[in-house]
Amino acid sequence: MDTPVTVPAPACSKIRLGSLARNNPPRHRFTVMQPATEIHLVRVTTDDGEVQIWLAATSREEAVDRVLEEIPEGWAVSLIQRQLATEHIPALNMAAGEVRRHLVS
């Protein structure tokens, strides 16, 4: 699950602040994404027969359902049995829960 983190504004700001703002410095909020620990490969076949590979940084049980949420209705999906090697996961730079089409370069 995403963990919200609050970080104080930089101290080097050149903006003059009123007394209220000086006592309550602005805070920037951002979400820290947890890196994926497992990624599953899902084969997608479009209506015109094109085969795509999608990556799901989810549990194996959730992978097909999460890809189905992202693609048009009527496309076929199947979980690829081959496991992605653990050492390749960091190179994909995916956050836990992320789903995306794999584009071969």
Side-chain angles (χ1 to χ4, degrees), residues 8-25:
C12 61
S13 176
K14 294 182 180 181
I15 300 172
R16 288 189 166 232
L17 303 173
S19 61
L20 178 61
R22 263 187 243 118
N23 294 331
N24 298 307

Side-chain angles (χ1 to χ4, degrees), residues 3-103:
T3 307
V5 176
T6 303
V7 177
C12 61
S13 176
K14 294 182 180 181
I15 300 172
R16 288 189 166 232
L17 303 173
S19 61
L20 178 61
R22 263 187 243 118
N23 294 331
N24 298 307
R27 301 209 178 265
H28 301 283
R29 184 181 167 133
F30 62 92
T31 301
V32 175
M33 302 300 287
Q34 298 297 322
T37 56
E38 58 182 316
I39 297 176
H40 301 284
L41 305 170
V42 179
R43 178 182 292 109
V44 174
T45 306
T46 67
D47 286 339
D48 62 1
E50 176 191 3
V51 175
Q52 302 174 353
I53 301 299
W54 283 64
L55 307 172
T58 65
S59 68
R60 192 158 184 79
E61 295 76 27
E62 292 180 287
V64 169
D65 288 336
R66 292 282 285 116
V67 171
L68 281 169
E69 292 172 2
E70 301 295 323
I71 63 174
E73 191 173 324
W75 289 13
V77 299
S78 62
L79 188 62
I80 296 174
Q81 294 305 312
R82 186 176 140 247
Q83 295 288 320
L84 187 64
T86 306
E87 61 268 13
H88 295 152
I89 292 174
L92 293 169
N93 196 29
M94 291 181 72
E98 183 180 352
V99 174
R100 70 176 181 221
R101 181 178 173 191
H102 178 62
L103 300 174

